[in-house]
Amino acid sequence: MDISDEGEALDPEWAETENNVCGTLHGRRDVSSVAERFVRAGWRSRSSSWYGYEVGTSWCQVELDPVEGPDILLNGVVDPRRIDELAGILHRFGLTYSLELYDGDDTLVRDIRA
């Protein structure tokens, strides 16, 4: 997949925030194809490692990294008011996933599984 700078830059409010979202995309090995889906949805993307990608928009920026087996790890920052929007995007992509949202004290505040 090519790099895409077409999407919106992460809002400065979230750029200074510690990671607050992590999760797993289940049953997917091809990180590139998942990153491409985000690009088609208007997000920007860049390669962040040999096999990983960073995808983002103004309210969310996450790393997508493959792991042993059929899953992809997701971690980064999201506007907590829009965690359901992130879940909705993953749902529209047809992905099975789990997401965890943490507050500034690293306390779990939402656990979403689909």
Side-chain angles (χ1 to χ4, degrees):
M1 188 193 88
D2 293 330
I3 295 172
S4 170
D5 292 326
E6 296 292 319
E8 297 177 60
L10 184 63
D11 187 302
E13 176 181 5
W14 306 115
E16 301 300 320
T17 303
E18 296 289 324
N19 285 3
N20 67 352
V21 66
C22 64
T24 305
L25 308 179
H26 303 288
R28 299 292 176 165
R29 297 184 60 99
D30 186 3
V31 179
S32 178
S33 68
V34 174
E36 181 63 35
R37 290 180 184 189
F38 278 96
V39 169
R40 287 194 306 260
W43 292 43
R44 69 186 183 294
S45 173
R46 70 175 187 87
S47 176
S48 61
S49 68
W50 283 103
Y51 303 105
Y53 286 87
E54 176 186 271
V55 296
T57 191
S58 64
W59 52 270
C60 181
Q61 180 171 293
V62 294
E63 296 278 338
L64 303 173
D65 292 300
V67 293
E68 291 288 325
D71 295 337
I72 296 171
L73 294 181
L74 174 150
N75 72 81
V77 63
V78 64
D79 176 343
R81 299 166 297 198
R82 297 182 83 170
I83 187 71
D84 290 323
E85 192 169 341
L86 176 59
I89 289 168
L90 297 175
H91 179 77
R92 283 192 304 277
F93 292 169
L95 300 173
T96 304
Y97 60 89
S98 58
L99 292 175
E100 295 177 349
L101 177 67
Y102 292 86
D103 67 13
D105 296 323
D106 293 332
T107 301
L108 180 65
V109 293
R110 288 282 306 275
D111 186 7
I112 303 170
R113 299 182 186 279

